[in-house]
Amino acid sequence: MNIIVLFMVSVMAVFVWWMVLQRVTAKTWLEQGVAIDPRAGADFQYSHRVASKVALWVFMVVITALFLLFVTAYHMRMHLGDWRPLALPGTLWVSSALLLLASIALQAARHGASNNRRSLLLTGFILGGVFALAFLAAQWWAWQQLSAAGFLVASNPANSFFYLLTGLHAVHLLGGLLVWSKTAGKIAGGAPVASVRLSVELCSVYWHYLFLLWLGLFALLLNT
Amino acid sequence: MEQVAIADQHDEHHEPTSFITRYIWSQDHKVIAVQYGLTAIAVGLIALVLSGMMRLQLAYPESFTFINPIAYYQFVTMHGMIMVIYLLTALLLGGFGNYLIPLMIGARDMVFPYLNMLSYWFYLVSVLVLVSSFFAPGGPTGAGWTLYPPQAILPGTAGFDWGILLMLISLAIFIVAFTMGGLNYVTTILQARTQGMTLMRMPLTVWGIFVATILGLLAFPALFVSALMMLLDHVVGTSFFMPALLSQGQLTDHEGGSPILFQHLFWFFGHPEVYIVALPAFGIVSDLISTHARKNIFGYRMMVWAILAIGVLSFIVWAHHMYVSGMHPWFGFFFAVTTLIIAVPTAIKVYNWVLTLWRGNIHLTVPMLFAIGFIFTFINGGLTGLWLGNVVVDVPLSDTYFVVGHFHMVMGLSPVLVIFGAIYHWYPKITGRMFNDTLGKLHFWLTFVGAYSIFLPMHYLGMLGIPRRYFANLTTDFIPESAQDMNIGITAAAIFVGLVQILFLINMVWSLRHGKPAGGNPWGATTLEWQTPQTPPAHGNWGPTLPVVHRWAYDYSVPGTAEDFTPQNVPVSPGHDTEDEEART
């Protein structure tokens, strides 16, 4: 449980540090007026753009907690004697490369969106989704190879965790693809660049995150 | 992602026009809150009936043919799970969180109204899946609310086939629903506070809900992980938690799994869950006490820090639920220490509530009665928590009624008293009408005294060593006959308290039509939700302009002011136009 406790404590530490920045020691009962609000400048306004980014980051912290809990369980289960390490199929290197390409393509799309370069936006965004789908196909292929070789989900805990972790990662990517397909439809339908900029940006951040998450999982699976 | 938040729509608030968009597929946080609340109360009533049946069995064993051991364990399990997750968590965060966050911080709605609506509908589906297990082959699971493997999915446990499956699926859906809601609550509090509403000016209710939501977002994944892995053990035949074992003479296909691993994961969620329920209750009760004692909350900053400290510490005490799992003694020592440390910020909060009451102008309104009742109950339950936090005391008491008494005091009755207090407190804002005061007071006293008659004697039964979880304690040498008399008394009280809740339901329904019009701010409260232009607040909450906050949330009985409260949005008066603290200190 050390892994997850360490993560929780770090999250909490960041939260408390951020709290300290928020004048957590202020004697607000002595203060009146709006001037004490650090956001009180004339341009203070709720921004849906910022809120969406905050929500995505919070969501990514939640997903990290989820996967670290699995990693914690993985670590504890690994030491129980009946664990037989799984020889990973080489396909996973291909899928890793595909996910990297997806991430790069979405970064290009984001660049296109912020510079109003419509063709770059369209190409990058579509490619980002296509590479992500190709990644999922490669993962599926790896599953097929493993089960054809007799490494079934229930035959060893190492196998169970492999299917579980890759499957859950794929589910999170599928969720992203759902949002991607809506936005891709808009872009292809000729919606103004400004109206999709936020979605493109959020998609790219989420793609990068899922790529990094996959790298972490892949490293774990390779080394145990 | 393309949803434009209501807070962004300065010109029009897209008020829904048809009945269906207004009350069914509503994206208005207030309607969603009421939907959450009513669903939670409805499912809570089921759990209440289940507890009544358990009590009937305990008082009169071998008298009811429809309560056999299988049914009894199903009642225990469903009662526990429904109360903790589907009632308390859903009502405090989905219900009060939804209603109060935007109103208290001066926002027009949650920042993602569509996601908020989805959150409720996912919650409803999770409830329906759970309730459907009553009608599944074999009935609901009888594994106990902790669902410990291996027994949860082995023949011999009620509902080992369908019941546990539906339970695990329902929990997974609930967690998805909570995550959608939780992302909304956190983002709304971080981003949509109105001008002047700094974090340290937020009412403690919002603080409690805020930190509890963060705990939930980080802790519910642990339940998700354990549910998913158990689901795979059950359906696919993996061995995450399932060891090699003989079940009813047959060798199972499992081998090598660790039931203790499940316990760690479950309680890594399970202990923060206590605070996911408690922190909103702490926050709400602080506001009730301050408002109805007409006095600022004592030690506001310390209250906020205590909420934060409890939130952090709640992640490193989980194994105190596992003292009897055979853990290493140093482990037990570590968790006993952290458990006792978490009592410090909790005690600070209790002192501050009592000191807020001290020399306050206490109005014994119905919400205030419930708030004071909570303080009593929480101290009772908290003190026995100090006992049980110590390994040497916990080990002999762990499997007795002492624990049942303890956690019902601290995590059952305490938050329920706050919920009742909160419903009475905000009922005038939600409905625009006052409830019947006499009925409310009657409801409080009968519930309070009745509930104590249930749970206090349980501590005594536990000290006698009477085991919990047993279907019947018939002729057992060390149990005196008087214990059975006490069981009958407890059952009588439990049935009585259950029936008394009808008074509450009648009051709520009757007052909807016949209550006195409440006006905008019947309690003379300072927080923003009482300053809305309409009561009940209209769609978008604030009319054309958002409120601007000029002071903290607790300006009660400030010397030199005409009234004994100054709302947060009242501008600084000319004689007091200091804009910073230095000028006044």
Side-chain angles (χ1 to χ4, degrees):
Chain A
M1 301 294 284
N2 297 342
I3 303 166
I4 189 65
V5 169
L6 217 62
F7 173 73
M8 294 295 174
V9 171
S10 337
V11 171
M12 290 294 176
V14 171
F15 180 63
V16 169
W17 166 76
W18 174 81
M19 281 293 309
V20 172
L21 299 185
Q22 301 296 312
R23 305 180 69 247
V24 74
T25 54
K27 297 176 177 175
T28 37
W29 53 95
L30 296 172
E31 303 172 334
Q32 294 186 343
V34 279
I36 66 151
D37 189 343
R39 314 162 302 165
D43 56 344
F44 165 69
Q45 215 174 24
Y46 164 78
S47 155
H48 190 60
R49 176 188 174 78
V50 178
S52 305
K53 284 190 192 171
V54 168
L56 180 63
W57 278 96
V58 176
F59 184 51
M60 292 190 303
V61 171
V62 174
I63 302 176
T64 309
L66 177 73
F67 277 92
L68 278 182
L69 280 155
F70 277 115
V71 171
T72 305
Y74 187 94
H75 196 254
M76 288 169 84
R77 185 68 183 81
M78 206 172 85
H79 296 292
L80 287 182
D82 60 337
W83 184 277
R84 287 191 303 277
L86 183 65
L88 297 182
T91 322
L92 293 181
W93 290 100
V94 177
S95 56
S96 305
L98 287 168
L99 198 55
L100 176 64
L101 288 176
S103 207
I104 293 172
L106 274 194
Q107 186 61 32
R110 181 176 171 179
H111 188 71
S114 51
N115 295 314
N116 277 320
R117 289 167 58 187
R118 191 168 188 90
S119 58
L120 181 61
L121 165 65
L122 183 66
T123 322
F125 200 74
I126 299 296
L127 275 183
V130 170
F131 279 128
L133 285 167
F135 164 81
L136 291 179
Q139 297 289 81
W140 178 254
W141 186 24
W143 277 29
Q144 297 303 320
Q145 286 175 317
L146 277 178
S147 48
F151 296 103
L152 302 176
V153 61
S155 48
N156 192 265
N159 309 1
S160 315
F161 269 110
F162 173 80
Y163 286 101
L164 181 59
L165 290 174
T166 49
L168 211 66
H169 179 266
V171 168
H172 282 85
L173 188 56
L174 278 174
L177 280 168
L178 205 69
V179 179
W180 171 84
S181 64
K182 278 175 71 178
T183 311
K186 278 191 188 172
I187 298 174
V193 173
S195 73
V196 292
R197 199 170 282 147
L198 178 62
S199 298
V200 172
E201 192 178 342
L202 295 176
C203 278
S204 70
V205 173
Y206 189 60
W207 253 241
H208 301 337
Y209 168 76
L210 284 183
F211 174 65
L212 290 178
L213 180 64
W214 167 247
L215 278 194
L217 293 176
F218 192 30
L220 174 78
L221 294 167
L222 270 181
N223 292 308
T224 46
Chain B
M1 299 278 174
E2 295 78 23
Q3 285 295 320
V4 177
I6 287 184
D8 254 6
Q9 304 161 358
H10 293 295
D11 307 327
E12 43 179 333
H13 308 310
H14 291 299
E15 183 149 11
T17 44
S18 74
F19 178 84
I20 289 185
T21 49
R22 186 183 290 252
Y23 296 112
I24 312 289
W25 302 110
S26 173
Q27 299 185 26
D28 186 315
H29 72 102
K30 300 180 291 295
V31 179
I32 295 172
V34 173
Q35 290 174 327
Y36 252 114
L38 292 180
T39 312
I41 290 174
V43 75
L45 286 174
I46 298 177
L48 186 72
V49 172
L50 294 178
S51 66
M53 303 222 271
M54 280 145 60
R55 283 314 314 177
L56 281 179
Q57 163 61 26
L58 289 171
Y60 307 103
E62 300 188 315
S63 307
F64 299 95
T65 49
F66 66 97
I67 311 180
N68 54 25
I70 289 175
Y72 179 79
Y73 288 118
Q74 290 172 326
F75 297 164
V76 172
T77 307
M78 296 301 273
H79 168 78
M81 194 61 100
I82 290 176
M83 288 297 194
V84 172
I85 307 270
Y86 299 87
L87 171 71
L88 290 176
T89 309
L91 188 51
L92 283 164
L93 293 176
F96 288 107
N98 251 317
Y99 197 85
L100 294 174
I101 291 171
L103 281 167
M104 281 187 150
I105 64 169
R108 297 205 181 274
D109 205 311
M110 290 289 178
V111 291
F112 309 112
Y114 183 75
L115 199 63
N116 206 20
M117 176 182 78
L118 274 189
S119 164
Y120 169 71
W121 289 98
F122 270 69
Y123 165 63
L124 184 66
V125 171
S126 77
V127 168
L128 293 177
V129 171
L130 183 78
V131 173
S132 73
S133 69
F134 281 104
F135 309 99
T141 174
W145 92 276
T146 52
L147 307 177
Y148 279 0
Q151 51 95 13
I153 55 175
L154 288 180
T157 300
F160 77 96
D161 200 3
W162 279 91
I164 186 75
L165 194 69
L166 291 168
M167 170 66 86
L168 296 173
I169 293 172
S170 166
L171 285 173
I173 301 172
F174 180 90
I175 293 163
V176 173
F178 176 82
T179 307
M180 292 194 275
L183 285 176
N184 240 325
Y185 311 153
V186 169
T187 314
T188 304
I189 292 172
L190 289 178
Q191 293 296 315
R193 280 171 288 126
T194 188
Q195 200 170 3
M197 181 62 86
T198 62
L199 282 178
M200 294 304 281
R201 274 178 173 174
M202 294 197 306
L204 288 167
T205 298
V206 180
W207 266 111
I209 291 171
F210 180 44
V211 177
T213 305
I214 294 174
L215 294 189
L217 285 174
L218 294 175
F220 269 112
L223 181 65
F224 189 84
V225 168
S226 31
L228 189 58
M229 283 163 61
M230 180 135 73
L231 203 64
L232 290 177
D233 276 3
H234 183 38
V235 179
V236 189
T238 54
S239 299
F240 291 115
F241 304 131
M242 295 298 282
L245 46 76
L246 283 172
S247 169
Q248 304 194 340
Q250 300 279 321
L251 191 62
T252 64
D253 292 335
H254 303 287
E255 59 171 359
S258 165
I260 296 290
L261 172 59
F262 177 88
Q263 294 192 18
H264 277 297
L265 290 171
F266 181 86
W267 287 113
F268 196 77
F269 146 76
H271 197 82
E273 167 65 21
V274 173
Y275 292 99
I276 292 168
V277 170
L279 290 181
F282 290 172
I284 289 171
V285 89
S286 308
D287 285 351
L288 297 196
I289 288 172
S290 179
T291 304
H292 295 275
R294 318 306 298 157
K295 201 175 146 211
N296 63 284
I297 192 78
F298 188 91
Y300 172 81
R301 272 192 311 181
M302 202 55 90
M303 293 298 248
V304 173
W305 296 350
I307 287 177
L308 291 170
I310 291 171
V312 174
L313 288 169
S314 71
F315 276 105
I316 47 170
V317 297
W318 79 90
H320 69 209
H321 297 272
M322 297 164 58
Y323 286 154
V324 291
S325 69
M327 63 168 69
H328 191 285
W330 283 113
F331 231 56
F333 174 75
F334 172 80
F335 283 102
V337 170
T338 53
T339 303
L340 298 186
I341 290 175
I342 207 171
V344 175
T346 316
I348 287 175
K349 297 193 77 70
V350 174
Y351 287 125
N352 284 357
W353 290 323
V354 176
L355 285 168
T356 304
L357 289 174
W358 175 253
R359 299 190 136 182
N361 175 10
I362 296 176
H363 295 201
L364 286 178
T365 55
V366 178
M368 186 59 149
L369 288 173
F370 277 101
I372 295 175
F374 160 83
I375 298 180
F376 272 94
T377 312
F378 189 73
I379 291 175
N380 267 313
L383 287 176
T384 51
L386 287 180
W387 288 35
L388 293 173
N390 290 284
V391 187
V392 283
V393 186
D394 180 75
V395 168
L397 285 176
S398 184
D399 280 325
T400 71
Y401 268 91
F402 192 87
V403 172
V404 181
H406 157 72
F407 72 68
H408 275 92
M409 278 287 190
V410 80
M411 143 139 227
L413 186 56
S414 293
V416 166
L417 288 173
V418 174
I419 284 172
F420 279 132
I423 292 176
Y424 283 112
H425 182 75
W426 280 292
Y427 185 85
K429 180 52 68 177
I430 298 169
T431 65
R433 291 186 184 268
M434 295 303 287
F435 51 84
N436 182 302
D437 201 53
T438 316
L439 265 184
K441 284 183 174 157
L442 199 64
H443 174 226
F444 167 75
W445 284 109
L446 298 180
T447 302
F448 185 71
V449 176
Y452 266 71
S453 319
I454 303 170
F455 299 119
L456 269 188
M458 284 189 187
H459 294 83
Y460 187 68
L461 291 178
M463 300 283 260
L464 282 176
I466 296 183
R468 61 180 166 134
R469 303 196 184 97
Y470 281 27
F471 168 63
N473 300 300
L474 296 171
T475 46
T476 310
D477 281 347
F478 72 92
I479 299 178
E481 273 184 40
S482 56
Q484 194 49 30
D485 297 338
M486 192 172 263
N487 258 330
I488 294 173
I490 292 175
T491 296
I495 306 272
F496 175 73
V497 170
L499 291 175
V500 162
Q501 305 317 310
I502 294 172
L503 287 182
F504 166 73
L505 296 176
I506 290 175
N507 195 355
M508 294 296 106
V509 175
W510 183 85
S511 306
L512 270 184
R513 268 177 188 277
H514 306 285
K516 276 189 309 195
N521 189 0
W523 309 120
T526 56
T527 41
L528 287 183
E529 80 276 22
W530 299 102
Q531 325 304 334
T532 54
Q534 294 102 346
T535 297
H539 191 70
N541 294 342
W542 304 106
T545 50
L546 288 174
V548 176
V549 170
H550 297 269
R551 59 193 70 243
W552 75 325
Y554 299 98
D555 264 349
Y556 289 105
S557 307
V558 177
T561 50
E563 289 191 276
D564 68 349
F565 69 102
T566 316
Q568 281 190 282
N569 59 344
V570 170
V572 184
S573 56
H576 266 276
D577 56 350
T578 50
E579 288 269 314
D580 54 14
E581 65 177 281
E582 285 79 15
R584 284 188 78 196
T585 45

